[in-house]
Amino acid sequence: MSSRLIDNLIEAFRCLPGVGNKTAQRMAYHLLERNRDGALSLSRALAEAVEQVHHCSRCRNLTEQEVCAICADDRRDAAKICIVESPIDVEVIENSTDYRGRYFVLMGRLSPLDGIGPEEIGLDLFVERLNEDAIDEVILATNPTVEGEATAHYISELVRTRHVRVTRLAHGIPLGGELEYIDGGTLMHAFSGRQEC
Ligand SMILES: [Zn+2]
């Protein structure tokens, strides 16, 4: 028993993180047998999101506009930029701190061995922001992993030469941890206690 279309569907589900063959199979059969409406709306939502969501031209966060809602919001403090690794980190900080500045999303971290250098994480665009906007503080909120720390160090050197204040989230975030998995209270504390680097 083998159907080319079912096999294709199972194979397609395997692009999801953490989904192996068994889980992919379960998902495919579940949708085909029990939830065809759900399957159709999933496929439409996927296609629409993939076609229309792209990177904000100012902060690289995901958005369907040219400029994302945070960058477009005049009430936010344009003199502060918080640098994070991923769009999820923006969500986490928005939800658990009272930070009202703007962001820059690296969409990764420096990892020379994997060929990820300053250009791949958008640092040329970040330097443009530094040159054009009146920035008075850059907050480094990369993850406290080895690569996240190396990335923070690299950026702090970049910023320091321009005489802009650079801060790093305070302790309380476990080494090797990721912002995404830290509870809101700890993150709020780390944020308000950020230190000069
Ligand atoms: Zn933006």
Side-chain angles (χ1 to χ4, degrees), residues 56 58-61 67-68 71:
C56 169
R58 296 185 57 76
C59 74
R60 306 226 308 160
N61 203 357
V67 170
C68 76
C71 288

Side-chain angles (χ1 to χ4, degrees), residues 150-171:
T151 306
H153 179 75
Y154 185 92
I155 297 172
S156 73
E157 293 298 308
L158 206 65
V159 175
R160 220 190 301 273
T161 57
R162 289 170 167 77
H163 308 290
V164 174
R165 181 173 180 231
V166 195
T167 54
R168 180 96 175 101
L169 295 200
H171 302 297

